[in-house]
Amino acid sequence: MKTILEDKKLTICLEGRIDTSNAPAVEEEIFAALKKAPGAAVAVDAADLAYISSAGLRVLLKLKKQMSAPLPVANVSPEVYEIFETTGFT
């Protein structure tokens, strides 16, 4: 995972697979990035995300609950979008 902070906008770029084996580490990285960019608008770029399990979805849900603004998720592959749609994340 990488993050980009530009013009008070924090973009979280998800990569590979997010599942039970790495979701806690991804969550830790996301919230560490948020602490380094207080007040920044947050967006998620899923261009390089191949798969997300329920554990990864919980991380995104926790992130969304912390935000006071919408949490846009861009560049979602059809496979990942299907997971989002099936679980009600759309």
Side-chain angles (χ1 to χ4, degrees):
M1 185 192 92
K2 69 179 180 177
T3 58
I4 301 166
L5 181 60
E6 190 173 80
D7 297 326
K8 294 196 175 194
K9 180 180 180 185
L10 176 65
T11 303
I12 299 167
C13 304
L14 301 177
E15 301 170 333
R17 297 174 58 89
I18 302 177
D19 54 30
T20 56
S21 68
N22 65 350
V26 170
E27 180 178 336
E28 190 175 306
E29 285 183 64
I30 288 172
F31 286 95
L34 289 177
K35 284 183 183 178
K36 292 179 182 176
V42 178
V44 175
D45 185 335
D48 295 325
L49 182 63
Y51 173 79
I52 188 164
S53 73
S54 59
L57 292 171
R58 280 191 293 276
V59 172
L60 292 181
L61 184 59
K62 187 173 180 180
L63 174 61
K64 171 59 183 134
K65 285 184 175 182
Q66 187 167 11
M67 312 299 344
S68 58
L71 178 63
V73 180
N75 304 317
V76 180
S77 71
E79 296 82 10
V80 172
Y81 187 84
E82 185 176 338
I83 295 167
F84 284 172
E85 194 169 50
T86 300
T87 56
F89 272 71
T90 55

